[in-house]
Short mmCIF file of all heavy atoms in Angstrom, two decimals:
data_model
loop_
_atom_site.label_atom_id
_atom_site.label_comp_id
_atom_site.label_asym_id
_atom_site.label_seq_id
_atom_site.Cartn_x
_atom_site.Cartn_y
_atom_site.Cartn_z
N ARG W 1 137.80 43.67 69.70
CA ARG W 1 136.91 44.23 68.66
C ARG W 1 136.57 43.19 67.60
O ARG W 1 135.44 43.07 67.14
CB ARG W 1 137.49 45.48 68.03
CG ARG W 1 137.55 46.72 68.98
CD ARG W 1 138.29 47.83 68.37
NE ARG W 1 137.46 48.53 67.41
CZ ARG W 1 136.60 49.58 67.69
NH1 ARG W 1 136.58 49.94 68.94
NH2 ARG W 1 135.90 50.16 66.78
N PHE W 2 137.52 42.40 67.28
CA PHE W 2 137.24 41.24 66.30
C PHE W 2 136.26 40.29 66.88
O PHE W 2 135.24 39.95 66.20
CB PHE W 2 138.66 40.51 65.99
CG PHE W 2 138.41 39.37 65.16
CD1 PHE W 2 138.29 39.34 63.78
CD2 PHE W 2 138.19 38.02 65.74
CE1 PHE W 2 138.00 38.25 63.03
CE2 PHE W 2 137.99 36.91 65.00
CZ PHE W 2 137.90 37.03 63.67
N LEU W 3 136.39 39.94 68.18
CA LEU W 3 135.44 38.97 68.74
C LEU W 3 134.04 39.57 68.87
O LEU W 3 133.08 38.89 68.53
CB LEU W 3 136.03 38.57 70.09
CG LEU W 3 137.23 37.67 70.14
CD1 LEU W 3 137.66 37.51 71.57
CD2 LEU W 3 137.06 36.32 69.54
N ALA W 4 133.99 40.86 69.27
CA ALA W 4 132.69 41.48 69.32
C ALA W 4 131.99 41.64 68.04
O ALA W 4 130.77 41.37 67.89
CB ALA W 4 132.86 42.86 70.09
N ALA W 5 132.81 42.02 66.97
CA ALA W 5 132.24 42.16 65.64
C ALA W 5 131.62 40.83 65.16
O ALA W 5 130.67 40.81 64.46
CB ALA W 5 133.25 42.72 64.66
N ARG W 6 132.43 39.72 65.46
CA ARG W 6 131.97 38.41 64.99
C ARG W 6 130.82 37.76 65.71
O ARG W 6 129.91 37.20 65.12
CB ARG W 6 133.10 37.53 64.98
CG ARG W 6 132.95 36.10 64.27
CD ARG W 6 134.22 35.26 64.32
NE ARG W 6 134.11 34.09 63.54
CZ ARG W 6 134.37 34.03 62.26
NH1 ARG W 6 134.77 35.05 61.55
NH2 ARG W 6 134.37 32.83 61.63
N TYR W 7 130.81 38.07 67.00
CA TYR W 7 129.79 37.38 67.88
C TYR W 7 128.71 38.29 68.48
O TYR W 7 128.08 37.89 69.48
CB TYR W 7 130.59 36.57 69.00
CG TYR W 7 131.47 35.58 68.50
CD1 TYR W 7 132.87 35.62 68.63
CD2 TYR W 7 131.00 34.42 67.70
CE1 TYR W 7 133.68 34.67 68.14
CE2 TYR W 7 131.84 33.48 67.17
CZ TYR W 7 133.24 33.63 67.33
OH TYR W 7 134.08 32.61 66.81
N CYS W 8 128.62 39.48 67.91
CA CYS W 8 127.55 40.37 68.38
C CYS W 8 126.82 40.93 67.09
O CYS W 8 126.55 42.02 66.95
CB CYS W 8 128.15 41.56 69.21
SG CYS W 8 128.83 41.08 70.82
N ARG W 9 126.50 40.01 66.20
CA ARG W 9 125.87 40.37 64.96
C ARG W 9 124.35 40.07 65.05
O ARG W 9 123.84 39.13 65.82
CB ARG W 9 126.39 39.43 63.84
CG ARG W 9 127.83 39.70 63.52
CD ARG W 9 128.27 38.58 62.58
NE ARG W 9 127.42 38.28 61.42
CZ ARG W 9 127.80 38.46 60.13
NH1 ARG W 9 129.04 38.84 59.85
NH2 ARG W 9 127.04 38.16 59.15
N PRO W 10 123.49 40.86 64.46
CA PRO W 10 122.03 40.63 64.55
C PRO W 10 121.62 39.35 63.89
O PRO W 10 120.63 38.69 64.43
CB PRO W 10 121.49 41.83 63.67
CG PRO W 10 122.57 42.89 63.68
CD PRO W 10 123.82 42.16 63.75
N ASP W 11 122.41 38.73 62.90
CA ASP W 11 122.00 37.47 62.42
C ASP W 11 122.63 36.38 63.17
O ASP W 11 122.33 35.16 62.83
CB ASP W 11 122.39 37.33 60.86
CG ASP W 11 123.88 37.58 60.64
OD1 ASP W 11 124.70 37.63 61.69
OD2 ASP W 11 124.32 37.56 59.50
N ALA W 12 123.51 36.59 64.10
CA ALA W 12 124.18 35.56 64.89
C ALA W 12 124.73 34.45 64.01
O ALA W 12 124.75 33.22 64.25
CB ALA W 12 123.21 34.92 65.90
N LYS W 13 125.37 34.90 62.91
CA LYS W 13 125.89 33.92 61.90
C LYS W 13 126.93 33.00 62.52
O LYS W 13 126.91 31.81 62.12
CB LYS W 13 126.56 34.76 60.76
CG LYS W 13 127.09 33.92 59.73
CD LYS W 13 127.78 34.77 58.58
CE LYS W 13 128.46 33.88 57.51
NZ LYS W 13 129.09 34.70 56.48
N TYR W 14 127.65 33.47 63.43
CA TYR W 14 128.78 32.63 64.01
C TYR W 14 128.43 32.31 65.53
O TYR W 14 129.18 31.72 66.20
CB TYR W 14 130.05 33.34 63.99
CG TYR W 14 130.53 33.69 62.60
CD1 TYR W 14 130.42 35.06 62.21
CD2 TYR W 14 130.94 32.73 61.64
CE1 TYR W 14 130.84 35.34 60.83
CE2 TYR W 14 131.32 33.11 60.45
CZ TYR W 14 131.24 34.40 60.02
OH TYR W 14 131.63 34.74 58.70
N GLY W 15 127.13 32.61 65.93
CA GLY W 15 126.88 32.58 67.39
C GLY W 15 126.85 33.93 68.00
O GLY W 15 127.19 34.86 67.46
N ARG W 16 126.57 33.91 69.27
CA ARG W 16 126.46 35.18 70.06
C ARG W 16 127.17 35.04 71.41
O ARG W 16 126.97 34.02 72.08
CB ARG W 16 124.98 35.44 70.20
CG ARG W 16 124.66 36.69 71.08
CD ARG W 16 124.62 37.99 70.34
NE ARG W 16 124.26 39.11 71.25
CZ ARG W 16 123.12 39.56 71.53
NH1 ARG W 16 122.00 38.97 71.00
NH2 ARG W 16 122.90 40.62 72.36
N ILE W 17 127.97 36.07 71.74
CA ILE W 17 128.48 36.16 73.06
C ILE W 17 127.75 37.35 73.73
O ILE W 17 127.75 38.48 73.23
CB ILE W 17 129.94 36.50 73.07
CG1 ILE W 17 130.76 35.31 72.52
CG2 ILE W 17 130.46 36.87 74.50
CD1 ILE W 17 132.29 35.61 72.31
N THR W 18 127.07 37.06 74.86
CA THR W 18 126.30 38.06 75.63
C THR W 18 127.07 38.63 76.77
O THR W 18 127.04 39.82 76.94
CB THR W 18 125.01 37.44 76.12
OG1 THR W 18 124.21 36.99 75.01
CG2 THR W 18 124.23 38.40 77.01
N HIS W 19 127.90 37.80 77.40
CA HIS W 19 128.61 38.30 78.63
C HIS W 19 130.14 38.00 78.35
O HIS W 19 130.48 37.05 77.73
CB HIS W 19 128.22 37.49 79.87
CG HIS W 19 126.74 37.71 80.29
ND1 HIS W 19 126.22 38.95 80.28
CD2 HIS W 19 125.80 36.83 80.66
CE1 HIS W 19 124.94 38.92 80.64
NE2 HIS W 19 124.70 37.60 80.89
N TRP W 20 130.93 38.85 78.89
CA TRP W 20 132.38 38.79 78.71
C TRP W 20 133.04 38.78 80.07
O TRP W 20 133.08 39.75 80.84
CB TRP W 20 132.90 40.00 77.95
CG TRP W 20 132.19 40.15 76.60
CD1 TRP W 20 130.97 40.68 76.39
CD2 TRP W 20 132.64 39.76 75.32
NE1 TRP W 20 130.62 40.63 75.08
CE2 TRP W 20 131.69 40.02 74.38
CE3 TRP W 20 133.87 39.13 74.90
CZ2 TRP W 20 131.77 39.82 73.03
CZ3 TRP W 20 134.02 38.97 73.56
CH2 TRP W 20 133.02 39.26 72.65
N ILE W 21 133.55 37.58 80.48
CA ILE W 21 134.26 37.39 81.76
C ILE W 21 135.71 37.72 81.63
O ILE W 21 136.35 36.99 80.77
CB ILE W 21 133.96 35.98 82.36
CG1 ILE W 21 132.44 35.82 82.59
CG2 ILE W 21 134.71 35.80 83.61
CD1 ILE W 21 132.12 34.43 82.86
N ILE W 22 136.26 38.72 82.26
CA ILE W 22 137.65 39.11 81.90
C ILE W 22 138.59 38.59 82.93
O ILE W 22 138.65 38.79 84.07
CB ILE W 22 137.70 40.68 82.00
CG1 ILE W 22 136.62 41.23 81.05
CG2 ILE W 22 139.01 41.17 81.56
CD1 ILE W 22 136.58 40.76 79.57
N HIS W 23 139.41 37.54 82.28
CA HIS W 23 140.39 36.81 82.99
C HIS W 23 139.86 35.85 83.96
O HIS W 23 138.60 35.68 83.96
CB HIS W 23 141.44 37.72 83.57
CG HIS W 23 141.85 38.89 82.70
ND1 HIS W 23 142.00 38.76 81.29
CD2 HIS W 23 142.33 40.12 82.91
CE1 HIS W 23 142.43 39.84 80.73
NE2 HIS W 23 142.59 40.75 81.68
N ASN W 24 140.67 35.22 84.80
CA ASN W 24 140.13 34.24 85.79
C ASN W 24 140.73 34.49 87.14
O ASN W 24 141.85 34.63 87.35
CB ASN W 24 140.63 32.88 85.23
CG ASN W 24 140.04 31.77 86.11
OD1 ASN W 24 138.84 31.61 86.32
ND2 ASN W 24 140.90 30.82 86.60
#
């Protein structure tokens, strides 16, 4: 939730994450 709140902002202040690859 912290990562999504930071990197899914309309102003992209810190950048944007569009896709989330879960583990490897």
Side-chain angles (χ1 to χ4, degrees):
R1 290 176 77 90
F2 172 83
L3 292 171
R6 189 176 187 88
Y7 298 118
C8 297
R9 293 167 51 121
D11 61 3
K13 179 179 179 180
Y14 304 105
R16 173 89 181 269
I17 294 174
T18 297
H19 298 316
W20 305 79
I21 300 170
I22 306 307
H23 313 329
N24 185 53

